[in-house]
Amino acid sequence: MAIIVVFDLPGVTREQYEESVDRLTGGTGLNRPEDWPVRGLLLHAAGPLPDDGGWHVTDVWESREAFEHFAAVLMPILREVGMATAPPLICEAYNVVS
């Protein structure tokens, strides 16, 4: 079952987000799901939070297991770039259109 994963990251900057992307991909960027270091990503969207200078990320993963595998790679990188995060909101996806 696909899942939706939502991170709201108050205080995180675009530069921190971009640094985490560079570390995830070895500097090649994230332009398609195949660019991610872990398979199973269906959708990734990121952008600034309104009014507080933070960052928002929404992902759709093919399964909770795929996301957990990715989280094992992601979380150390987020700590390294100073992006302390609360646990993301995770819910089952009822409908995914891409």
Side-chain angles (χ1 to χ4, degrees), residues 33 42-43 60 95-98:
L42 301 176
L43 174 109
V60 179
N95 190 17
V96 178
V97 178
S98 61

Side-chain angles (χ1 to χ4, degrees), residues 18-97:
E18 290 175 351
E19 176 68 18
S20 69
V21 167
D22 285 346
R23 290 179 187 220
L24 278 170
T25 65
T28 62
L30 296 174
N31 300 303
R32 56 197 180 114
E34 293 79 14
D35 295 336
W36 289 80
V38 174
R39 297 293 169 241
L41 178 73
L42 301 176
L43 174 109
H44 173 81
L49 287 168
D51 301 327
D52 81 346
W55 206 253
H56 174 89
V57 176
T58 298
D59 286 347
V60 179
W61 287 87
E62 67 184 21
S63 68
R64 183 175 290 270
E65 294 76 22
F67 172 70
E68 289 172 355
H69 187 66
F70 174 65
V73 174
L74 175 68
M75 298 314 284
I77 291 170
L78 295 185
R79 284 191 292 275
E80 289 171 8
V81 299
M83 292 173 63
T85 68
L89 170 68
I90 300 175
C91 57
E92 291 184 357
Y94 172 74
N95 190 17
V96 178
V97 178

